[in-house]
């Protein structure tokens, strides 16, 4: 089972730069990738895509299960937005001058010149990586997966799982030692692709790609058996 991972801001931005709709771009890419697998003689029982209706339905159900069991909380935060492109900008789509070394093309997540980790707020003269406009900060509400409530269960799973490679296990235990924090599972971008469930104030939100893409392995399996009847 596998499939094309089609959502997220980098795809939205690439489509914007090419002047096409995100779905046009991912339709094209999905066909190219499928063809490449054929050329390499790699076959799947089901090679699907995260735009599949079966996947979208499964992700929404999964989201609602977490919500009904009390694992979803909301928070408000300020995020950068480009008024010209009308798009919320991920950290690496903001460029500006590094406050540490003065490099003038540092990205909002990291300075490539001095290697320091950054935050968009730290950049001097920040601008949109797509059009060069100055981003504005807007307040927005998001739905978070409250991982703190799942910490004990995740720890038990990691400790008792004999199939995990040692490095993955140690890295996970390291994160657990620092303590898990709630993590946003919604975004404001139009091309999250999967609409967030209709909570008050969630009309324009989409489900964050990190949360839904990996669920694609499960939904691809569901789709496979559904297709077989
Ligand atoms: Zn720097
Ligand atoms: Zn812009």
């Amino acid at each position: 089972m596998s499939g094309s991972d089609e959502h997220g801001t980098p795809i939205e931005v690439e489509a914007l730069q090419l002047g096409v709709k995100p779905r046009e771009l991912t339709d094209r890419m999905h066909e190219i990738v499928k063809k490449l697998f054929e050329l390499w003689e790699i076959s799947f029982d089901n090679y699907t895509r995260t735009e599949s209706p079966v996947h979208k339905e499964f992700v929404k159900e999964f989201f609602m299960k977490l919500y009904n069991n009390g694992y979803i909380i909301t928070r408000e935060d300020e995020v950068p937005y480009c008024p010209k492109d009308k798009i919320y900008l991920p950290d690496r789509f903001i460029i500006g001058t590094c406050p540490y070394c003065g490099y003038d093309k540092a990205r909002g997540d990291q300075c490539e010149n001095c290697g320091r980790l950054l935050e968009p707020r730290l950049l001097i003269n920040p601008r949109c990586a797509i059009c060069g406009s100055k981003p504005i900060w807007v307040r927005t509400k998001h739905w978070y997966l409250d991982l703190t409530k799942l910490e004990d269960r995740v720890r038990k799973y990691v400790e008792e799982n004999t199939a995990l490679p040692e490095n993955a296990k140690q890295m996970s235990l390291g994160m657990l030692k620092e303590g898990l924090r709630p993590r946003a599972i919604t975004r404001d971008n139009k091309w999250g692709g999967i609409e967030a469930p209709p909570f008050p104030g969630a009309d324009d939100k989409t489900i964050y790609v990190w949360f839904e893409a990996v669920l694609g392995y499960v939904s691809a399996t569901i789709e496979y058996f559904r297709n077989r009847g």
Side-chain angles (χ1 to χ4, degrees):
M1 304 292 158
S2 197
S4 300
D5 175 3
E6 306 184 273
H7 303 135
T9 311
I11 290 165
E12 190 177 14
V13 170
E14 195 180 337
L16 199 70
Q17 285 165 337
L18 294 169
V20 296
K21 293 226 156 51
R23 177 64 195 245
E24 280 173 59
L25 176 64
T26 61
D27 281 350
R28 209 186 289 166
M29 289 305 161
H30 180 66
E31 289 311 315
I32 292 172
V33 172
K34 262 171 61 179
K35 204 153 282 162
L36 282 172
F37 281 131
E38 278 166 32
L39 285 170
W40 292 332
E41 297 180 8
I42 294 169
S43 66
F44 294 89
D45 289 310
N46 186 20
Y47 186 84
T48 181
R49 52 194 302 187
T50 56
E51 271 289 280
S52 147
V54 176
H55 174 68
K56 291 186 175 186
E57 182 198 317
F58 175 72
V59 169
K60 284 190 208 178
E61 274 172 25
F62 196 86
F63 191 121
M64 283 314 294
K65 246 184 228 174
L66 288 167
Y67 180 79
N68 292 330
N69 288 320
Y71 293 113
I72 308 279
I73 55 172
T74 59
R75 275 189 183 177
E76 275 196 20
D77 211 358
E78 280 201 338
V79 295
Y81 177 82
C82 173
K84 190 159 173 252
D85 293 315
K86 297 188 174 51
I87 184 176
Y88 289 89
L89 298 165
D91 294 355
R92 62 189 155 126
F93 284 103
I94 299 175
I95 48 173
T97 303
C98 173
Y100 303 107
C101 73
Y103 179 59
D104 68 351
K105 287 185 194 70
R107 289 186 329 207
D109 57 346
Q110 189 167 20
C111 172
E112 278 171 25
N113 190 51
C114 70
R116 279 202 172 80
L117 293 179
L118 296 170
E119 278 174 36
R121 291 256 192 205
L122 297 173
L123 292 173
I124 301 156
N125 186 25
R127 50 204 189 272
C128 165
I130 308 159
C131 73
S133 312
K134 194 177 156 72
I136 54 169
W137 293 82
V138 294
R139 238 185 139 61
T140 179
K141 182 175 168 183
H142 279 295
W143 281 254
Y144 283 71
L145 174 59
D146 192 0
L147 287 164
T148 45
K149 287 192 191 125
L150 291 160
E151 204 170 286
D152 291 339
R153 287 170 69 180
V154 174
R155 184 178 293 105
K156 194 168 175 318
Y157 170 79
V158 172
E159 281 170 353
E160 291 175 4
N161 192 327
T162 51
L164 276 183
E166 199 51 32
N167 60 344
K169 193 169 197 164
Q170 289 314 319
M171 205 172 115
S172 306
L173 289 173
M175 289 173 88
L176 283 157
K177 210 170 155 189
E178 280 177 31
L180 300 182
R181 285 187 301 270
R183 221 179 138 178
I185 57 172
T186 57
R187 295 270 95 178
D188 288 295
N189 296 68
K190 301 278 173 292
W191 189 248
I194 304 181
E195 318 87 58
F199 303 129
D203 320 336
D204 292 331
K205 312 285 173 184
T206 52
I207 296 174
Y208 205 156
V209 65
W210 79 262
F211 177 78
E212 54 97 355
V214 183
L215 293 175
Y217 294 101
V218 186
S219 65
T221 310
I222 294 170
E223 191 180 73
Y224 169 73
F225 283 105
R226 227 179 249 182
N227 290 343
R228 281 184 49 164

